[in-house]
Amino acid sequence: MRTVTLPDGTQVPALGQGTWHMGERSSAAKTEVAALKLGIELGVTLIDTAEMYGNGGAEELVAEASAGQRDKLFIVSKVYPHNASRSGVVAACERSLKRLRTDRIDLYLLHWKGSHPLSETVEGFEALRAKGMIRYWGVSNFDTRDMQGLSRLPEGPDCATNQVLYHIGSRGIEYDLLPWCAEHKMPVMAYSPVGQGGSLLRSKALVAVAKRHNATPGQIAIAWTMRHANVISIPKASDPAHVRQNAAAGGISLTAEDLAEIDAAHPPPRSKQSLDIS
Ligand SMILES: NC(=O)c1ccc[n+]([C@@H]2O[C@H](COP(=O)([O-])OP(=O)(O)OC[C@H]3O[C@@H](n4cnc5c(N)ncnc54)[C@H](OP(=O)(O)O)[C@@H]3O)[C@@H](O)[C@H]2O)c1
């Protein structure tokens, strides 16, 4: 499995498994746990979840899937902005740890900016880190200006990642946010890399490139996000066929011809675009 480097030099997997919409229906729980376990078996050991997903239900499924193999996983979870006061972050993390049935979260993110001062949220994160309840902290859905503000806080440079929407159909971050993060040696986590399995996967360019690689459009979409050395891609899949495809996508290298064909159909940004969130 390819890795990316956190600001402190630690290597983490460049491919993970998302869990949004998991843990919402008890009838789907067995399939969802099986999908996560299959992904882990195939070497996709970074799992992205959040207290929001399934109202805590996704974290509980992650606990089930990770039973007996916690040490080989890198678990990412997120705190709701309305819980992100200094003490609220600590209390929310304690609840997540209980649901995840673990003693630490590897990477804990502020899900999006809210009304609590960021300095307080960061103090909460640092308190959790000091107690060993989280290993790293970061943010999500932060645009470049937000990252600049964060980096000016005393502990701001400790931010380990920014998780944002990134796929072939939404490339705005390439203009300024991706370069900013690269300059600060901070990986970006790309969410919705297969465009939530929607019309993006019918893109003619994607289909043509997929054919050349004997792959599926979803695999090419994932490989495309992973072409940057500092991007972690976190597709979500409950269907075991998707899980297998996604796990194999990490091994696909796109050629200059592939990239040019994708660029022609889905051009990179030429000016600042505000951050996409859906
Ligand atoms: N920080 C944030 O604000 C934020 C926002 C959105 C998402 N996220 C995180 O990022 C993860 C991924 O994003 P996402 O769930 O929005 O979208 P996504 O991963 O782009 O798409 C998931 C959808 O695509 C389908 N799919 C997966 N692999 C496929 C493939 N190879 N071919 C065709 N279809 C495929 C899945 O179907 P099946 O499930 O049936 O396999 C599912 O319906 C989330 O699960 C979550 O962990 C974070």
Side-chain angles (χ1 to χ4, degrees), residues 34 40 127 133 191 240:
I40 296 169
M133 293 160 74
Y191 74 69

Side-chain angles (χ1 to χ4, degrees), residues 7-237:
D8 74 348
T10 300
Q11 303 286 310
V12 297
L15 180 64
Q17 303 188 71
T19 62
W20 190 22
H21 296 311
M22 287 189 178
E24 292 178 353
R25 288 173 299 126
S26 53
S27 58
K30 217 170 135 193
T31 309
E32 292 165 350
V33 170
L36 291 172
K37 276 184 161 170
L38 175 61
I40 296 169
E41 220 176 282
L42 295 170
V44 191
T45 52
L46 183 152
I47 301 184
D48 179 78
T49 189
E51 64 172 333
M52 182 185 105
Y53 302 163
N55 204 13
E59 292 181 324
E60 286 170 358
L61 295 190
V62 172
E64 225 173 305
S66 57
Q69 44 186 353
R70 171 66 184 95
D71 288 350
K72 65 176 174 189
L73 301 183
F74 189 89
I75 296 180
V76 184
S77 193
K78 312 183 197 79
V79 58
Y80 265 127
H82 63 253
N83 284 336
S85 65
R86 191 189 183 289
S87 59
V89 166
V90 175
C93 183
E94 281 168 353
R95 291 192 295 272
S96 284
L97 287 171
K98 211 172 256 178
R99 285 189 292 265
L100 286 162
R101 284 185 255 142
T102 184
D103 59 354
R104 78 239 177 243
I105 290 171
D106 296 289
L107 174 60
Y108 197 40
L109 310 180
L110 173 62
H111 210 147
W112 63 89
K113 263 186 326 168
S115 54
H116 289 292
L118 197 51
S119 56
E120 279 194 26
T121 308
V122 171
E123 277 176 34
F125 283 151
E126 290 292 345
L128 288 169
R129 213 149 73 110
K131 287 184 187 165
M133 293 160 74
I134 64 171
R135 289 175 60 205
Y136 299 96
W137 62 264
V139 294
S140 177
N141 297 301
F142 270 43
D143 207 340
T144 312
R145 191 175 291 193
D146 306 319
M147 292 309 293
Q148 287 163 339
L150 172 61
S151 71
R152 284 194 287 271
L153 295 177
E155 313 285 4
D158 286 346
C159 176
T161 193
N162 182 15
Q163 183 178 120
V164 292
L165 184 142
Y166 184 49
H167 57 64
I168 284 170
S170 178
R171 303 182 58 168
I173 66 165
E174 289 174 29
Y175 186 76
D176 55 348
L177 186 57
L178 256 184
W180 190 93
C181 291
E183 194 185 310
H184 290 80
K185 303 196 181 331
M186 184 190 295
V188 166
M189 295 183 76
Y191 74 69
S192 306
V194 298
Q196 304 191 323
S199 58
L200 179 74
L201 298 183
R202 293 192 293 277
S203 146
K204 271 191 189 161
L206 208 49
V207 170
V209 174
K211 242 183 212 152
R212 280 206 288 277
H213 286 268
N214 201 14
T216 67
Q219 288 180 301
I220 301 300
I222 294 165
W224 181 87
T225 57
M226 293 174 70
R227 75 198 188 287
H228 299 284
N230 70 327
V231 170
I232 300 168
S233 192
I234 49 167
K236 174 263 178 188

